[in-house]
Amino acid sequence: MRILLTLLLFLVVQFSLHADPFEDLLKSDWNQSQTLLIKNSVFQRLGRRANEKDVLKITKNVIPWAILEGVTPEKTADLIVNLDYAVKQGLVFEEAEDAIPVMSKRDLTKEDFSYIGLYFKETKKANIREEVRNRFVEAALEKNWDGLSILAGGRALIAGKLVDFPQNRLATKILSSLPAKGRTVAFEKLETGFKNSLDSKLEGGSYILLSNLKKLHAGEKGSEPKNLGNARAIESSLDEVGGIVIGERPKFEPLPDAPLVPNLPEVGEPTDYDTPTKEGWETLSSSALGKVAREWVGTPYKWANASKTGTDCSGFTYRVLTDGRIGVPEKMVSRASSAQTKMGIGVTHAEMRAGDLIFFSASPNQSKVTHVGMVLSKEEFAHASSSRGVVIDKVAMKWWIDRFVLSRRMFKKVID
Protein backbone atom coordinates (compact mmCIF):
# COMPACT_ATOMS: atom_id res chain seq x y z
CA MET A 1 0.00 0.00 0.00
CA ARG A 2 2.79 2.42 0.90
CA ILE A 3 4.49 1.70 -2.42
CA LEU A 4 1.24 2.41 -4.28
CA LEU A 5 0.70 5.72 -2.46
CA THR A 6 4.29 6.75 -3.16
CA LEU A 7 3.82 5.97 -6.84
CA LEU A 8 0.55 7.93 -6.98
CA LEU A 9 2.19 10.93 -5.28
CA PHE A 10 5.06 10.77 -7.75
CA LEU A 11 2.63 10.74 -10.69
CA VAL A 12 0.64 13.68 -9.28
CA VAL A 13 3.81 15.73 -8.81
CA GLN A 14 5.03 14.90 -12.32
CA PHE A 15 1.66 15.76 -13.83
CA SER A 16 1.42 19.05 -11.96
CA LEU A 17 4.90 20.03 -13.08
CA HIS A 18 4.13 19.13 -16.66
CA ALA A 19 0.80 20.95 -16.56
CA ASP A 20 2.23 24.09 -14.94
CA PRO A 21 1.87 26.78 -17.66
CA PHE A 22 4.36 29.07 -15.90
CA GLU A 23 7.06 26.42 -15.92
CA ASP A 24 6.23 25.34 -19.46
CA LEU A 25 6.94 28.90 -20.64
CA LEU A 26 10.42 28.82 -19.13
CA LYS A 27 11.73 25.31 -19.53
CA SER A 28 12.77 25.59 -23.18
CA ASP A 29 15.16 28.46 -22.40
CA TRP A 30 16.42 27.60 -18.90
CA ASN A 31 17.43 24.35 -17.30
CA GLN A 32 15.25 22.78 -14.60
CA SER A 33 17.00 24.38 -11.62
CA GLN A 34 16.95 27.84 -13.23
CA THR A 35 13.29 27.45 -14.15
CA LEU A 36 12.38 26.50 -10.58
CA LEU A 37 14.38 29.46 -9.24
CA ILE A 38 12.48 31.90 -11.46
CA LYS A 39 9.14 30.25 -10.72
CA ASN A 40 9.64 30.15 -6.94
CA SER A 41 10.85 33.75 -6.81
CA VAL A 42 7.82 35.01 -8.74
CA PHE A 43 5.42 32.83 -6.70
CA GLN A 44 6.86 34.17 -3.44
CA ARG A 45 5.96 37.72 -4.45
CA LEU A 46 2.81 37.25 -6.53
CA GLY A 47 1.34 34.13 -4.97
CA ARG A 48 -1.40 32.43 -6.96
CA ARG A 49 -1.45 35.35 -9.40
CA ALA A 50 1.74 33.94 -10.94
CA ASN A 51 -0.44 31.49 -12.88
CA GLU A 52 -2.96 34.08 -14.02
CA LYS A 53 -3.30 34.90 -17.70
CA ASP A 54 -1.85 38.42 -17.46
CA VAL A 55 1.28 37.30 -15.60
CA LEU A 56 1.81 34.36 -17.95
CA LYS A 57 1.64 36.77 -20.90
CA ILE A 58 4.24 39.03 -19.27
CA THR A 59 6.46 36.02 -18.56
CA LYS A 60 6.26 34.93 -22.19
CA ASN A 61 7.17 38.45 -23.37
CA VAL A 62 10.04 38.78 -20.88
CA ILE A 63 11.85 35.62 -22.04
CA PRO A 64 13.36 37.09 -25.26
CA TRP A 65 14.42 40.20 -23.37
CA ALA A 66 16.05 38.13 -20.62
CA ILE A 67 18.00 36.14 -23.20
CA LEU A 68 19.04 39.24 -25.17
CA GLU A 69 20.10 41.10 -22.05
CA GLY A 70 21.83 38.00 -20.62
CA VAL A 71 20.23 38.45 -17.20
CA THR A 72 20.30 35.91 -14.38
CA PRO A 73 17.27 33.84 -13.35
CA GLU A 74 16.93 36.05 -10.26
CA LYS A 75 16.89 39.19 -12.42
CA THR A 76 14.39 37.56 -14.80
CA ALA A 77 12.04 37.03 -11.86
CA ASP A 78 12.53 40.69 -10.85
CA LEU A 79 11.65 41.79 -14.39
CA ILE A 80 8.44 39.74 -14.38
CA VAL A 81 7.33 41.18 -11.04
CA ASN A 82 8.24 44.76 -11.98
CA LEU A 83 6.54 44.55 -15.36
CA ASP A 84 3.44 43.10 -13.74
CA TYR A 85 3.37 46.08 -11.38
CA ALA A 86 3.89 48.57 -14.24
CA VAL A 87 1.01 47.06 -16.22
CA LYS A 88 -1.24 47.21 -13.17
CA GLN A 89 -0.32 50.91 -12.85
CA GLY A 90 -1.62 51.66 -16.35
CA LEU A 91 1.30 51.09 -18.74
CA VAL A 92 1.13 48.49 -21.48
CA PHE A 93 3.97 46.00 -21.80
CA GLU A 94 5.36 47.58 -24.99
CA GLU A 95 5.75 50.88 -23.10
CA ALA A 96 7.18 49.47 -19.89
CA GLU A 97 9.66 47.17 -21.66
CA ASP A 98 11.85 50.13 -22.61
CA ALA A 99 13.01 50.19 -18.98
CA ILE A 100 14.34 46.61 -19.22
CA PRO A 101 17.83 47.53 -20.52
CA VAL A 102 18.13 50.05 -17.68
CA MET A 103 17.34 47.36 -15.11
CA SER A 104 19.43 44.58 -16.64
CA LYS A 105 22.60 45.81 -14.90
CA ARG A 106 21.13 47.30 -11.72
CA ASP A 107 18.43 46.77 -9.11
CA LEU A 108 15.31 48.92 -9.35
CA THR A 109 12.23 48.94 -7.19
CA LYS A 110 8.97 48.20 -8.98
CA GLU A 111 7.94 51.84 -8.44
CA ASP A 112 11.14 53.25 -9.95
CA PHE A 113 10.92 50.79 -12.84
CA SER A 114 7.38 51.97 -13.62
CA TYR A 115 8.28 55.64 -13.50
CA ILE A 116 11.23 55.04 -15.84
CA GLY A 117 8.92 53.15 -18.19
CA LEU A 118 6.59 56.18 -18.19
CA TYR A 119 9.61 58.46 -18.77
CA PHE A 120 10.47 56.55 -21.94
CA LYS A 121 6.86 56.53 -23.12
CA GLU A 122 6.55 60.31 -22.76
CA THR A 123 9.96 61.36 -24.08
CA LYS A 124 9.56 59.10 -27.12
CA LYS A 125 6.09 60.50 -27.83
CA ALA A 126 7.51 64.04 -27.55
CA ASN A 127 10.37 63.13 -29.94
CA ILE A 128 13.16 63.86 -27.50
CA ARG A 129 16.34 62.60 -29.17
CA GLU A 130 17.05 58.96 -28.33
CA GLU A 131 20.71 59.61 -27.53
CA VAL A 132 19.75 62.33 -25.05
CA ARG A 133 16.91 60.48 -23.35
CA ASN A 134 19.01 57.32 -22.89
CA ARG A 135 22.09 59.08 -21.61
CA PHE A 136 19.96 61.22 -19.29
CA VAL A 137 18.60 58.14 -17.53
CA GLU A 138 22.07 56.64 -17.20
CA ALA A 139 23.50 59.88 -15.79
CA ALA A 140 20.56 60.28 -13.39
CA LEU A 141 20.95 56.75 -12.04
CA GLU A 142 24.68 57.34 -11.58
CA LYS A 143 23.59 60.21 -9.30
CA ASN A 144 21.21 57.82 -7.46
CA TRP A 145 18.03 59.48 -8.68
CA ASP A 146 14.75 57.71 -8.05
CA GLY A 147 12.18 57.06 -10.75
CA LEU A 148 9.95 60.05 -9.98
CA SER A 149 12.88 62.46 -10.31
CA ILE A 150 13.79 60.83 -13.64
CA LEU A 151 10.20 61.26 -14.82
CA ALA A 152 10.31 64.92 -13.71
CA GLY A 153 13.55 65.36 -15.63
CA GLY A 154 11.98 63.88 -18.74
CA ARG A 155 9.05 66.26 -18.43
CA ALA A 156 11.46 69.18 -18.07
CA LEU A 157 13.11 68.06 -21.34
CA ILE A 158 9.66 68.00 -22.95
CA ALA A 159 8.82 71.45 -21.53
CA GLY A 160 12.13 72.70 -22.90
CA LYS A 161 11.15 71.64 -26.38
CA LEU A 162 8.03 73.80 -26.09
CA VAL A 163 10.26 76.88 -25.76
CA ASP A 164 13.12 75.70 -28.00
CA PHE A 165 15.71 75.00 -25.32
CA PRO A 166 18.55 72.89 -26.82
CA GLN A 167 17.85 69.36 -25.56
CA ASN A 168 21.41 68.12 -25.05
CA ARG A 169 22.49 71.11 -22.98
CA LEU A 170 19.20 71.36 -21.12
CA ALA A 171 19.66 67.75 -19.99
CA THR A 172 22.88 68.75 -18.24
CA LYS A 173 21.17 71.64 -16.48
CA ILE A 174 18.26 69.46 -15.33
CA LEU A 175 20.71 67.01 -13.75
CA SER A 176 22.05 69.80 -11.55
CA SER A 177 18.65 71.37 -10.77
CA LEU A 178 16.28 68.61 -9.67
CA PRO A 179 16.45 66.78 -6.32
CA ALA A 180 17.57 63.15 -6.52
CA LYS A 181 14.82 61.66 -4.36
CA GLY A 182 11.62 63.05 -5.81
CA ARG A 183 9.39 60.46 -4.17
CA THR A 184 10.32 61.51 -0.64
CA VAL A 185 11.04 65.27 -0.81
CA ALA A 186 8.35 67.93 -0.63
CA PHE A 187 6.81 68.49 -4.06
CA GLU A 188 7.81 72.15 -3.92
CA LYS A 189 11.45 71.10 -4.31
CA LEU A 190 10.64 69.14 -7.47
CA GLU A 191 8.62 72.03 -8.84
CA THR A 192 11.35 74.58 -8.05
CA GLY A 193 14.04 72.45 -9.68
CA PHE A 194 11.80 71.93 -12.72
CA LYS A 195 11.26 75.67 -13.17
CA ASN A 196 14.87 76.62 -12.44
CA SER A 197 16.17 74.23 -15.09
CA LEU A 198 14.02 76.09 -17.63
CA ASP A 199 14.82 79.58 -16.29
CA SER A 200 11.07 79.78 -15.49
CA LYS A 201 10.28 79.91 -19.22
CA LEU A 202 7.23 77.65 -19.26
CA GLU A 203 4.28 77.34 -21.62
CA GLY A 204 0.78 75.97 -21.00
CA GLY A 205 1.67 72.35 -21.69
CA SER A 206 4.45 72.59 -19.11
CA TYR A 207 1.95 73.33 -16.35
CA ILE A 208 -0.15 70.33 -17.37
CA LEU A 209 2.92 68.11 -16.99
CA LEU A 210 3.70 69.67 -13.61
CA SER A 211 0.12 69.33 -12.37
CA ASN A 212 0.04 65.63 -13.16
CA LEU A 213 3.47 65.17 -11.58
CA LYS A 214 2.05 66.68 -8.38
CA LYS A 215 -0.76 64.09 -8.42
CA LEU A 216 1.73 61.27 -8.85
CA HIS A 217 3.84 62.65 -6.00
CA ALA A 218 0.76 62.84 -3.76
CA GLY A 219 -0.08 59.25 -4.71
CA GLU A 220 3.18 58.10 -3.14
CA LYS A 221 1.48 58.52 0.24
CA GLY A 222 -1.53 56.41 -0.70
CA SER A 223 -2.08 52.78 -1.58
CA GLU A 224 -4.23 53.31 -4.68
CA PRO A 225 -2.82 52.66 -8.20
CA LYS A 226 -1.12 55.75 -9.62
CA ASN A 227 -2.72 55.47 -13.07
CA LEU A 228 0.49 55.94 -15.05
CA GLY A 229 -1.56 55.67 -18.23
CA ASN A 230 -2.01 59.45 -17.89
CA ALA A 231 -4.90 61.80 -18.54
CA ARG A 232 -6.00 62.99 -21.97
CA ALA A 233 -4.58 66.46 -21.31
CA ILE A 234 -1.08 64.99 -20.96
CA GLU A 235 -1.44 62.88 -24.10
CA SER A 236 -2.57 65.95 -26.03
CA SER A 237 0.41 67.94 -24.73
CA LEU A 238 2.83 65.19 -25.73
CA ASP A 239 1.31 65.02 -29.20
CA GLU A 240 1.72 68.78 -29.52
CA VAL A 241 5.35 68.66 -28.44
CA GLY A 242 6.10 65.69 -30.69
CA GLY A 243 4.93 67.65 -33.70
CA ILE A 244 7.22 70.61 -32.99
CA VAL A 245 10.24 70.91 -35.28
CA ILE A 246 13.02 72.66 -33.39
CA GLY A 247 14.42 75.60 -35.27
CA GLU A 248 11.21 76.99 -36.76
CA ARG A 249 10.78 79.62 -34.06
CA PRO A 250 13.21 82.13 -32.52
CA LYS A 251 15.42 80.50 -29.90
CA PHE A 252 16.40 81.68 -26.46
CA GLU A 253 20.08 82.31 -25.91
CA PRO A 254 21.98 79.00 -26.02
CA LEU A 255 22.47 77.42 -22.64
CA PRO A 256 26.07 77.68 -21.39
CA ASP A 257 26.02 74.17 -19.89
CA ALA A 258 28.15 71.49 -21.52
CA PRO A 259 26.19 68.99 -23.63
CA LEU A 260 25.22 65.77 -21.88
CA VAL A 261 26.21 63.69 -24.91
CA PRO A 262 29.62 64.88 -26.23
CA ASN A 263 29.89 65.56 -29.97
CA LEU A 264 26.13 65.46 -30.40
CA PRO A 265 25.24 68.84 -31.92
CA GLU A 266 21.95 70.54 -31.22
CA VAL A 267 19.67 71.12 -34.17
CA GLY A 268 20.91 74.25 -35.93
CA GLU A 269 24.27 74.32 -34.14
CA PRO A 270 27.45 74.43 -36.26
CA THR A 271 29.34 71.13 -36.36
CA ASP A 272 32.87 69.90 -36.91
CA TYR A 273 31.80 67.76 -39.86
CA ASP A 274 33.98 69.77 -42.22
CA THR A 275 36.97 67.61 -41.28
CA PRO A 276 38.05 65.44 -44.23
CA THR A 277 36.56 61.95 -44.43
CA LYS A 278 38.03 58.88 -46.05
CA GLU A 279 38.00 59.35 -49.82
CA GLY A 280 35.76 56.90 -51.62
CA TRP A 281 34.19 55.64 -48.39
CA GLU A 282 31.25 54.13 -50.29
CA THR A 283 33.57 51.32 -51.38
CA LEU A 284 34.20 49.19 -48.30
CA SER A 285 37.19 46.96 -47.65
CA SER A 286 35.81 43.91 -45.82
CA SER A 287 39.25 43.17 -44.37
CA ALA A 288 39.48 46.73 -42.97
CA LEU A 289 36.00 46.35 -41.48
CA GLY A 290 36.96 43.06 -39.87
CA LYS A 291 40.07 44.60 -38.37
CA VAL A 292 38.21 47.61 -36.95
CA ALA A 293 35.40 45.48 -35.50
CA ARG A 294 37.74 42.93 -33.92
CA GLU A 295 39.64 45.71 -32.14
CA TRP A 296 36.40 46.25 -30.19
CA VAL A 297 35.92 42.61 -29.22
CA GLY A 298 35.95 42.28 -25.44
CA THR A 299 34.83 45.87 -24.83
CA PRO A 300 32.35 45.73 -21.94
CA TYR A 301 28.72 46.62 -22.47
CA LYS A 302 27.58 49.97 -21.11
CA TRP A 303 24.15 51.21 -21.97
CA ALA A 304 23.91 54.71 -23.55
CA ASN A 305 27.67 54.88 -24.17
CA ALA A 306 29.93 54.60 -27.20
CA SER A 307 33.59 54.18 -26.24
CA LYS A 308 36.14 51.41 -25.73
CA THR A 309 35.65 51.69 -21.98
CA GLY A 310 32.04 50.66 -22.51
CA THR A 311 29.51 50.74 -25.34
CA ASP A 312 25.98 49.71 -26.19
CA CYS A 313 24.92 48.12 -29.48
CA SER A 314 24.17 51.26 -31.48
CA GLY A 315 27.19 53.04 -30.00
CA PHE A 316 29.38 50.20 -31.31
CA THR A 317 27.97 50.33 -34.86
CA TYR A 318 28.25 54.13 -34.84
CA ARG A 319 31.91 54.02 -33.84
CA VAL A 320 32.79 51.33 -36.38
CA LEU A 321 31.11 53.13 -39.26
CA THR A 322 32.72 56.48 -38.43
CA ASP A 323 36.19 55.02 -37.77
CA GLY A 324 38.68 56.77 -40.07
CA ARG A 325 39.55 53.48 -41.79
CA ILE A 326 35.90 52.95 -42.73
CA GLY A 327 35.11 56.62 -43.18
CA VAL A 328 31.34 57.04 -43.24
CA PRO A 329 30.79 60.79 -42.63
CA GLU A 330 29.56 61.41 -39.09
CA LYS A 331 26.69 63.57 -40.34
CA MET A 332 25.27 60.45 -42.01
CA VAL A 333 25.34 58.24 -38.91
CA SER A 334 23.24 58.44 -35.76
CA ARG A 335 24.14 56.90 -32.41
CA ALA A 336 20.50 55.83 -31.97
CA SER A 337 19.41 52.41 -33.21
CA SER A 338 15.99 53.73 -34.26
CA ALA A 339 17.63 56.29 -36.55
CA GLN A 340 20.13 53.73 -37.85
CA THR A 341 17.19 51.72 -39.22
CA LYS A 342 16.61 54.55 -41.70
CA MET A 343 20.18 54.81 -43.01
CA GLY A 344 21.10 53.54 -46.46
CA ILE A 345 18.82 51.13 -48.31
CA GLY A 346 17.01 48.00 -47.13
CA VAL A 347 18.26 44.52 -48.05
CA THR A 348 16.93 41.07 -47.23
CA HIS A 349 18.51 38.62 -44.82
CA ALA A 350 19.68 36.49 -47.75
CA GLU A 351 21.29 39.48 -49.48
CA MET A 352 23.36 40.67 -46.51
CA ARG A 353 27.09 41.24 -46.94
CA ALA A 354 29.95 42.90 -45.08
CA GLY A 355 29.14 46.43 -43.91
CA ASP A 356 25.39 45.97 -43.64
CA LEU A 357 23.61 46.76 -40.40
CA ILE A 358 21.43 43.97 -38.99
CA PHE A 359 18.55 44.69 -36.61
CA PHE A 360 16.68 42.48 -34.15
CA SER A 361 13.72 42.66 -31.79
CA ALA A 362 13.13 41.17 -28.36
CA SER A 363 9.74 42.88 -28.14
CA PRO A 364 6.37 41.22 -28.72
CA ASN A 365 6.02 44.02 -31.27
CA GLN A 366 8.35 42.49 -33.85
CA SER A 367 8.62 45.71 -35.82
CA LYS A 368 10.22 47.43 -32.81
CA VAL A 369 14.02 47.30 -33.04
CA THR A 370 15.80 46.58 -29.75
CA HIS A 371 19.27 45.52 -30.96
CA VAL A 372 21.68 46.21 -33.83
CA GLY A 373 24.89 44.61 -35.09
CA MET A 374 27.43 44.97 -37.90
CA VAL A 375 27.62 42.26 -40.57
CA LEU A 376 31.24 41.18 -41.22
CA SER A 377 30.51 38.49 -43.80
CA LYS A 378 27.66 36.24 -44.89
CA GLU A 379 28.48 34.04 -41.89
CA GLU A 380 29.30 36.47 -39.05
CA PHE A 381 28.23 39.71 -37.44
CA ALA A 382 29.69 41.73 -34.57
CA HIS A 383 27.59 43.34 -31.86
CA ALA A 384 27.70 44.69 -28.32
CA SER A 385 26.04 42.03 -26.18
CA SER A 386 24.61 43.04 -22.81
CA SER A 387 26.10 39.99 -21.11
CA ARG A 388 29.29 39.38 -23.10
CA GLY A 389 30.35 42.81 -24.32
CA VAL A 390 31.39 43.17 -27.96
CA VAL A 391 31.43 39.71 -29.55
CA ILE A 392 31.21 38.03 -32.94
CA ASP A 393 28.30 35.65 -33.54
CA LYS A 394 27.00 33.54 -36.39
CA VAL A 395 24.34 35.11 -38.61
CA ALA A 396 22.64 31.72 -38.96
CA MET A 397 22.09 31.14 -35.22
CA LYS A 398 18.41 30.26 -34.79
CA TRP A 399 17.77 32.77 -32.02
CA TRP A 400 19.01 35.63 -34.18
CA ILE A 401 17.12 34.43 -37.25
CA ASP A 402 13.90 34.23 -35.22
CA ARG A 403 14.43 37.79 -33.96
CA PHE A 404 15.59 39.36 -37.25
CA VAL A 405 13.69 42.53 -38.23
CA LEU A 406 15.57 44.17 -41.11
CA SER A 407 18.98 45.07 -42.49
CA ARG A 408 20.31 48.26 -44.09
CA ARG A 409 23.14 48.88 -46.54
CA MET A 410 25.42 51.93 -46.46
CA PHE A 411 28.13 50.86 -48.90
CA LYS A 412 27.71 50.66 -52.69
CA LYS A 413 30.58 48.23 -53.22
CA VAL A 414 32.55 45.77 -51.08
CA ILE A 415 36.07 44.59 -51.90
CA ASP A 416 38.43 42.27 -50.06
Side-chain angles (χ1 to χ4, degrees):
M1 187 68 176
R2 179 178 294 178
I3 294 174
L4 180 60
L5 287 173
T6 302
L7 178 60
L8 285 173
L9 180 61
F10 175 80
L11 290 173
V12 168
V13 171
Q14 290 300 304
F15 178 79
S16 63
L17 285 174
H18 179 70
D20 186 342
F22 192 96
E23 187 164 325
D24 284 348
L25 284 173
L26 300 170
K27 67 182 182 182
S28 61
D29 295 295
W30 281 276
N31 63 37
Q32 185 66 25
S33 62
Q34 291 173 321
T35 297
L36 287 173
L37 179 59
I38 296 171
K39 174 186 171 181
N40 291 339
S41 182
V42 174
F43 268 74
Q44 284 175 8
R45 285 178 278 179
L46 299 183
R48 292 176 179 266
R49 286 199 60 249
N51 265 332
E52 290 183 2
K53 182 179 178 180
D54 290 346
V55 178
L56 292 173
K57 183 178 179 181
I58 288 170
T59 302
K60 181 180 179 181
N61 290 338
V62 162
I63 291 171
W65 274 107
I67 295 171
L68 180 64
E69 296 294 327
V71 300
T72 64
E74 294 92 335
K75 183 68 72 176
T76 301
D78 291 340
L79 285 173
I80 293 168
V81 172
N82 284 8
L83 281 157
D84 172 65
Y85 180 82
V87 170
K88 287 197 298 182
Q89 298 303 306
L91 296 178
V92 300
F93 183 92
E94 288 79 4
E95 295 165 346
E97 69 180 345
D98 289 325
I100 292 177
V102 180
M103 186 177 172
S104 65
K105 295 293 185 291
R106 55 173 57 84
D107 294 323
L108 294 176
T109 67
K110 59 188 181 184
E111 293 83 6
D112 288 341
F113 181 90
S114 297
Y115 281 131
I116 292 172
L118 182 57
Y119 162 91
F120 280 116
K121 173 189 175 180
E122 293 184 351
T123 52
K124 286 172 73 173
K125 196 172 182 67
N127 282 330
I128 301 300
R129 297 177 73 170
E130 183 178 336
E131 304 95 318
V132 174
R133 66 175 185 252
N134 288 356
R135 181 62 193 137
F136 179 83
V137 171
E138 185 72 11
L141 289 172
E142 288 171 355
K143 295 167 69 73
N144 294 316
W145 280 28
D146 67 16
L148 188 62
S149 284
I150 289 172
L151 176 62
R155 291 187 175 185
L157 282 171
I158 294 167
K161 193 176 178 186
L162 281 166
V163 290
D164 281 347
F165 269 73
Q167 294 174 21
N168 200 5
R169 293 179 182 274
L170 176 58
T172 302
K173 189 170 184 180
I174 293 169
L175 286 166
S176 62
S177 300
L178 284 173
K181 303 300 181 184
R183 293 176 58 200
T184 54
V185 301
F187 180 75
E188 287 71 22
K189 291 188 176 181
L190 269 177
E191 184 176 23
T192 299
F194 186 99
K195 291 179 177 179
N196 287 345
S197 66
L198 293 159
D199 295 337
S200 296
K201 297 181 173 73
L202 279 70
E203 289 195 357
S206 307
Y207 290 102
I208 293 173
L209 294 171
L210 261 176
S211 175
N212 179 265
L213 191 70
K214 186 175 183 178
K215 291 179 181 177
L216 293 175
H217 182 272
E220 286 296 321
K221 299 176 182 178
S223 58
E224 294 299 315
K226 300 178 183 63
N227 189 19
L228 300 186
N230 283 330
R232 288 183 181 178
I234 289 217
E235 295 293 336
S236 298
S237 296
L238 296 176
D239 285 334
E240 175 189 347
V241 176
I244 293 173
V245 178
I246 297 296
E248 289 188 344
R249 305 193 303 277
K251 296 184 184 300
F252 291 109
E253 289 298 314
L255 294 174
D257 306 83
L260 178 66
V261 185
N263 303 319
L264 180 66
E266 305 286 357
V267 177
E269 279 189 350
T271 68
D272 297 327
Y273 292 145
D274 296 331
T275 55
T277 57
K278 176 176 169 286
E279 187 176 349
W281 68 265
E282 291 178 311
T283 296
L284 172 70
S285 165
S286 60
S287 59
L289 175 66
K291 182 177 181 181
V292 171
R294 283 177 169 80
E295 288 174 358
W296 282 80
V297 171
T299 299
Y301 183 90
K302 189 173 183 182
W303 188 70
N305 282 265
S307 74
K308 287 191 175 178
T309 58
T311 185
D312 63 13
C313 61
S314 57
F316 166 68
T317 51
Y318 166 82
R319 291 297 302 273
V320 169
L321 287 170
T322 58
D323 185 285
R325 291 162 289 179
I326 306 302
V328 180
E330 287 191 32
K331 63 184 176 182
M332 296 182 63
V333 186
S334 171
R335 295 187 191 183
S337 57
S338 59
Q340 289 181 6
T341 63
K342 300 176 177 63
M343 300 189 313
I345 61 171
V347 294
T348 68
H349 193 279
E351 294 171 332
M352 289 190 307
R353 68 186 186 193
D356 294 343
L357 294 172
I358 182 170
F359 299 89
F360 307 94
S361 178
S363 172
N365 174 6
Q366 282 291 281
S367 64
K368 178 180 178 179
V369 166
T370 60
H371 194 62
V372 59
M374 171 66 65
V375 177
L376 303 182
S377 68
K378 286 188 174 293
E379 293 78 32
E380 295 181 325
F381 75 101
H383 64 115
S385 161
S386 298
S387 56
R388 297 174 288 157
V390 177
V391 293
I392 296 175
D393 276 337
K394 298 294 182 183
V395 171
M397 287 176 62
K398 184 180 185 303
W399 197 89
W400 294 117
I401 291 176
D402 290 344
R403 292 289 159 184
F404 172 78
V405 178
L406 76 157
S407 55
R408 303 290 293 186
R409 177 164 294 164
M410 297 284 291
F411 303 96
K412 292 183 177 179
K413 183 178 179 181
V414 177
I415 60 176
D416 291 338

